[in-house]
Amino acid sequence: MATKVVMPQLGESVVEGTVTQWLFQEGERVKEYEPLLEVNTDKVDTEIPSPTEGVLLKIVVPAGTTVRAGSVLAWIGEAGEDIPESDSSAVEPKPAPQEDVAFGEATRPMAATPPRPRRELGFISPVVAHLAQEHNVDLSQVRGSGMGGRITKRDVLNFSEERRTQSPPPAASPPGAPLESPAWETPGEGDLFRPTEMMFGEAKQPKTTPPQPPATERVIPLTPVRKAIADHMLLSKRTSAHVTTVMEADLQAVTQHLAAHKPVYARDNVRLTYTAYFVAAAVEALKEYRIFNASLTEKGLLLHPTVNIGVAVSLGEDGLIVPIIRHAEAISLLGLARAIADLAQRARNRQLKPEEVQGGTFSITNHGVGRSLFATPIINQPQCAILGVGVIQKRAVVIHDAIAIRPMVYLSLTFDHRIIDGAIADGFLAKVVERLENWR
């Protein structure tokens, strides 16, 4: 009798998931417990093993479809075996909306060659697909350097550059050929993400003629991760009354402590970074201002007994994810540094479990990695506040009526004004600043 493959419930609060790719095609034989497909829930990709050995008779839910836990995804049995026409436990799949468009682009279908099977190329992100079309790259010829041979943005660019240097330039560009990008100079250290032409406020002319817009409109389908981010951010803006307060902190004491202890931590195979200090300072403030470690419910304010800090990790072109450091109030600086490094590495390698991104009570986002001075982060629901950390810069400041050069950082706290007043928010952020400036 054929065996059905069912969408599992991958977490206590996870009620649905999106099939991102099938690792086998219909008619192929799969072993028991062998990874059969990948499912995305809460921005975490999880491999679903086969419940039995046999032939993949039928795929019920195609890649890109979101279904509820308990839905029948596929049938496995022996070749020629009959498949039940209906099943009471099956749930009608919810196709991912095709009209969703990234960055406000128009909804005209993209003209492209028929997609290759996922089995051949693996998961292809919208950015990679867009670059491949723009540079006229056949992805089947590109060797992927990502996890499991996944093709990345850098792989496409390197392939395109190698092909350009190996073949003579054409006499003229054919109609519809992609236009060149502006010739920005390579930014130096401390100038990341800023075109050289726009430095120091000078609006200089580009070195080449600005490219013209493409002749045809294109649709970039949203990945499950980007769709989850979009839905969650809109939900948060509709739910909470967002207000942001900003303060700056002198990191002289933290910088000295980090320089003295970084080699010591390295002997324990732990990389000490500024992030651990920001988390530790936030934990100290959360102990004193417990209202920030709470969630607003229909019954009232729910104070959480433990501090579970979420630290945002960038996944590059695939968005970001916020893994959780649980019981942070009981962890030393060494332990925080170890946890941050572990979660960040596994997040970028797509090795997190769904439960590792659930249950956070307060979040921190380090937008300063992109040279941002300060920002107004969006609250990660159902939390009531989030701390934003800007870029650390040496600046001239006045200390005891004298000018000194100090490493300074802007800290922005976005809070839910429904339950937190401005004076309390300022007190919380001032506590974070005080802890950082008096680090011992």
Side-chain angles (χ1 to χ4, degrees):
M1 181 176 178
T3 302
K4 58 187 176 184
V5 180
V6 177
M7 171 71 78
Q9 185 163 352
L10 297 172
E12 184 176 351
S13 60
V14 178
V15 296
E16 64 182 21
T18 301
V19 177
T20 53
Q21 68 169 324
W22 285 92
L23 305 177
F24 287 83
Q25 296 179 348
E26 290 184 2
E28 292 185 328
R29 192 167 190 86
V30 59
K31 297 179 181 179
E32 187 176 12
Y33 304 127
E34 191 172 10
L36 180 62
L37 72 154
E38 289 185 358
V39 171
N40 183 278
T41 56
D42 284 340
K43 300 188 286 185
V44 175
D45 289 323
T46 304
E47 290 183 342
I48 306 301
S50 174
T52 186
E53 181 175 354
V55 175
L56 182 56
L57 300 175
K58 182 176 179 60
I59 294 176
V60 179
V61 179
T65 306
T66 300
V67 293
R68 296 184 66 83
S71 301
V72 176
L73 302 176
W75 290 91
I76 295 178
E78 295 303 325
E81 191 172 353
D82 292 333
I83 301 173
E85 295 183 1
S86 62
D87 190 280
S88 58
S89 65
V91 179
E92 189 69 21
K94 302 191 303 181
Q98 298 300 316
E99 66 274 13
D100 287 334
V101 181
F103 313 115
E105 296 190 10
T107 57
R108 186 178 300 176
M110 186 191 311
T113 56
R116 296 179 177 270
R118 292 279 188 183
R119 178 69 172 165
E120 181 179 350
L121 295 179
F123 175 72
I124 302 298
S125 73
V127 173
V128 170
H130 172 72
L131 280 175
Q133 184 185 45
E134 181 178 325
H135 293 274
N136 195 25
V137 171
D138 182 358
L139 290 178
S140 65
Q141 301 178 15
V142 180
R143 185 185 184 93
S145 63
M147 184 178 180
R150 181 169 174 262
I151 299 175
T152 66
K153 171 183 175 182
R154 179 55 53 189
D155 296 330
V156 176
L157 294 176
N158 288 342
F159 180 88
S160 177
E161 178 64 19
E162 290 175 3
R163 184 181 60 183
R164 187 185 67 81
T165 56
Q166 291 174 1
S167 44
S173 298
L179 299 170
E180 292 184 359
S181 301
W184 303 121
E185 290 184 1
T186 303
E189 184 178 358
D191 297 321
L192 297 178
F193 307 106
R194 286 195 297 173
T196 303
E197 284 75 4
M198 296 303 295
M199 288 182 192
F200 313 112
E202 288 186 76
K204 298 182 180 179
Q205 293 297 322
K207 296 183 179 179
T208 59
T209 303
Q212 299 299 317
T216 59
E217 297 167 329
R218 289 194 298 268
V219 171
I220 303 177
L222 298 182
T223 64
V225 171
R226 178 53 58 188
K227 184 67 166 61
I229 292 174
D231 292 342
H232 197 60
M233 294 299 97
L234 285 177
L235 170 66
S236 182
K237 294 293 284 187
R238 290 194 300 263
T239 301
S240 297
H242 284 65
V243 178
T244 301
T245 183
V246 179
M247 295 184 183
E248 63 177 345
D250 181 350
L251 297 185
Q252 179 79 354
V254 168
T255 300
Q256 292 174 347
H257 188 276
L258 188 150
H261 291 78
K262 192 170 185 176
V264 179
Y265 283 36
R267 290 200 290 267
D268 292 329
N269 295 320
V270 176
R271 182 170 177 263
L272 181 61
T273 66
Y274 284 100
T275 303
Y277 293 91
F278 293 122
V279 172
V283 169
E284 289 298 317
L286 288 167
K287 291 179 181 179
E288 184 171 334
Y289 292 83
R290 292 191 60 203
I291 193 173
F292 285 86
N293 199 56
S295 299
L296 186 61
T297 69
E298 294 181 356
K299 296 181 179 179
L301 193 62
L302 175 62
L303 295 176
H304 302 294
T306 61
V307 176
N308 300 331
I309 299 285
V311 180
V313 177
S314 173
L315 301 180
E317 61 196 43
D318 292 332
L320 60 84
I321 197 167
V322 188
I324 308 300
I325 303 174
R326 301 188 183 279
H327 299 281
E329 76 281 2
I331 303 178
S332 65
L333 185 67
L334 173 63
L336 290 175
R338 180 181 285 114
I340 291 167
D342 171 64
L343 290 172
Q345 181 179 6
R346 290 194 291 115
R348 296 186 181 102
N349 291 336
R350 311 301 196 272
Q351 295 175 336
L352 291 177
K353 299 176 182 178
E355 58 268 23
E356 291 181 306
V357 297
Q358 300 170 358
T361 60
F362 185 87
S363 292
I364 298 176
T365 177
N366 184 8
H367 54 85
V369 297
R371 305 292 299 169
S372 169
L373 289 174
F374 60 85
T376 56
I378 297 177
I379 298 170
N380 189 8
Q381 297 296 326
Q383 300 166 23
C384 66
I386 180 171
L387 178 68
V389 180
V391 63
I392 300 172
Q393 289 183 322
K394 287 186 176 181
R395 296 200 298 270
V397 295
V398 177
I399 299 177
H400 303 306
D401 293 331
I403 296 177
I405 305 298
R406 293 294 178 86
M408 305 295 293
V409 64
Y410 287 109
L411 302 175
S412 54
L413 178 71
T414 298
F415 58 96
D416 190 341
H417 211 342
R418 296 178 301 168
I419 57 177
I420 299 172
D421 294 329
I424 298 176
D426 289 341
F428 174 89
L429 191 54
K431 182 66 177 180
V432 174
V433 172
E434 177 189 355
R435 182 70 181 94
L436 292 171
E437 292 187 338
N438 296 279
W439 198 277
R440 296 289 184 270

